[in-house]
């Protein structure tokens, strides 16, 4: 295949396809389509994209406070004066932060753990940003820490561990509810979700 | 070739973008790995959660291949335990120890049945109302695992005098019980035998007894099952001991 493209070495079209194929959601076939699309729109898309990628790669920073990824350190969330500084929402990854920030009702701060405790992958508490969270929680301004880890065994194990670490700080520690998603039909829900929903039922 | 079996998910490791390599402790095929295509996709993610009881179908062209799993969750233990830190830690520890200790593709139906019983007890508060109740079951499960793999501890009588009463210790060398009088000069080197593991043992069980039991089973698990393979005790198990020790103080 590469011979037919006259490619193979770095800087060639094949190299571009191979790099694009490493992007989540793109396989070799879709990477080929994306490469072709870019090649057809060199000036209007490919060059601006290359510039944007280069600029972002050169200036992206990890926030030293919450571990979010942004162009400034501290990030735009941590420096936003309109944010409620009494609440910190703890998430596993930056993607979770972005998901939570889409929720209009939450205007607090965040803390990205950088993963979960995982016996399988050998990730222990020292590999996560837990110590820094405990330090942040000691700030008298902080009243509540919301644990928004995933509803998985590893996610909840991590949540319990953090709750234990925060027990001496005096802040209220809460966790996201688990249950029926909006638009979810009971018939299609798995047993675990239904069990969690039933357990967390509330009077109407 | 293919087979059907029932089992418990021990672990799921991401493979590629959405697929998973899942280890299941099955009744007739032991700890068995298989690829679950799209296992980490939103739709199937809950099926491969560790602790789930599953009906498995394994398919491969050759027996030695990794093969593909089709899993159907029949009971989600993990979901039921998620809001209880201690019970969740116990489940994670049991699953991690089972995965690390049991050889792959070697059937151990007794271990699976004992693990199912342990997970049931962890889930149902009427079976095991507190940590001292499920803690006993957990320690017995680990001792049962040792026994299943050929390293049974003899806690019925004193290794030195043969008496069956007043057994307070276990010899770390032989794995046999030692009476109070025979063990006294060597107390510092011996492992404590908690009351609930003694012959006819009953009475009040404290969290301290459970921690002693965990130290006892942990010592022999490390020595017989992990050290020969240059493996360390799984972190999940160490965290369970740490968690209970904090509460027991």
């Amino acid at each position: 295949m590469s011979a037919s493209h006259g490619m193979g070495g770095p800087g060639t079209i094949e190299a571009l396809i191979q790099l694009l194929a490493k992007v989540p959601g793109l396989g070799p076939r879709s990477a080929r389509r994306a490469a072709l699309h870019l090649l057809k729109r060199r000036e209007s898309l490919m060059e601006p994209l290359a510039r944007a990628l280069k600029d972002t790669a050169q200036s992206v920073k990890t926030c030293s406070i919450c571990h979010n990824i942004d162009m400034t350190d501290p990030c735009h969330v941590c420096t936003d004066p309109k944010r409620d500084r009494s609440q910190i929402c703890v998430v596993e990854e930056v993607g979770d932060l972005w998901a939570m920030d889409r929720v209009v009702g939450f205007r607090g701060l965040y803390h990205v753990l950088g993963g979960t405790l995982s016996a399988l992958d050998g990730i222990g508490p020292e590999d996560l940003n837990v110590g820094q969270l405990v330090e942040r929680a000691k700030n008298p301004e902080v009243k509540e820490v919301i644990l928004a880890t995933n509803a998985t065994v590893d996610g909840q194990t991590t949540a319990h561990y953090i709750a234990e670490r925060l027990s001496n700080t005096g802040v209220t520690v809460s966790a996201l509810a688990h249950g029926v998603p909006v638009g979810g039909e009971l018939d299609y829900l798995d047993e675990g979700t239904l069990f969690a929903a039933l357990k967390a039922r509330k009077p109407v | 070739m293919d087979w059907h079996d029932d089992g418990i998910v021990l672990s799921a490791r991401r493979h590629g973008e959405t697929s998973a390599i899942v280890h299941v402790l099955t009744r007739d095929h032991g700890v068995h790995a298989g690829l679950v295509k799209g296992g980490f996709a939103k739709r199937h993610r809950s099926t491969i959660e560790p602790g789930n009881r599953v009906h498995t179908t394994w398919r491969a062209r050759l027996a030695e291949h990794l093969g593909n799993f089709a899993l159907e969750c029949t009971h989600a233990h993990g979901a039921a335990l998620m809001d209880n830190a201690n019970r969740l830690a116990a489940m994670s520890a049991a699953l991690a120890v089972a995965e690390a200790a049991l050889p792959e593709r070697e059937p151990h139906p007794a271990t699976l049945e004992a693990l199912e019983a342990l997970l049931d007890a962890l889930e149902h508060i009427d079976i095991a109302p507190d940590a001292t109740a499920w803690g006993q079951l957990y320690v017995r499960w680990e001792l049962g695992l040792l026994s299943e793999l050929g390293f049974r501890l003899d806690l019925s009588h004193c290794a030195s005098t043969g008496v069956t009463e007043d057994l307070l210790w276990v010899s770390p060398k032989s794995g046999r019980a030692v009476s109070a009088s025979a063990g006294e000069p060597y107390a510092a080197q011996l492992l404590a035998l908690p009351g609930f593991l003694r012959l006819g043992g009953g009475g009040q069980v404290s969290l301290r007894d459970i921690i002693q039991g965990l130290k006892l089973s942990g010592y022999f698990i490390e020595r017989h099952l992990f050290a020969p393979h240059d493996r360390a005790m799984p972190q999940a198990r160490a965290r369970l001991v740490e968690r209970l020790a904090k509460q027991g103080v």
Side-chain angles (χ1 to χ4, degrees), chain A residues 23-26 117-125 151-154 156-157 160-161 164 178 190-193 195 199, chain B residues 11-13 17 45-46 49-50 73-76 78-80 82-85 88 91-92 99 123 235-236 239 243 246:
Chain A
V23 176
L26 293 185
L117 297 175
S118 170
L120 197 63
D121 301 322
I123 299 173
T152 59
V153 170
D154 284 346
Q156 293 310 298
T157 301
H160 290 306
Y161 174 77
E164 198 184 301
H178 304 141
D190 63 277
E191 190 201 346
T193 306
F195 184 89
K199 223 172 170 183
Chain B
S11 68
R13 186 179 275 116
E17 215 171 299
R45 180 70 185 81
S46 62
E49 271 298 289
C73 179
T74 54
H75 187 74
M82 273 183 190
D83 58 356
N84 188 308
L88 186 65
M91 183 191 80
S92 298
E99 187 183 6
E123 186 179 332
Q235 281 182 11
R239 272 202 293 274
R243 174 168 274 281
K246 267 186 199 166

Side-chain angles (χ1 to χ4, degrees), chain B residues 10-31:
Chain B
L10 297 179
S11 68
R13 186 179 275 116
R14 197 178 279 274
H15 181 76
E17 215 171 299
T18 57
S19 294
I21 292 177
V22 180
H23 280 81
V24 180
L25 173 58
T26 59
R27 189 171 306 279
D28 300 325
H29 301 84
V31 175

Side-chain angles (χ1 to χ4, degrees), chain B residues 25-61:
Chain B
L25 173 58
T26 59
R27 189 171 306 279
D28 300 325
H29 301 84
V31 175
H32 208 293
L35 181 76
V36 178
K37 284 182 182 163
F40 274 99
K42 211 179 350 177
R43 226 167 137 192
H44 303 296
R45 180 70 185 81
S46 62
T47 308
I48 59 168
E49 271 298 289
N52 277 0
R53 223 178 266 204
V54 287
H55 180 71
T56 65
T57 301
W58 183 82
R59 283 194 185 89
R61 195 167 62 79

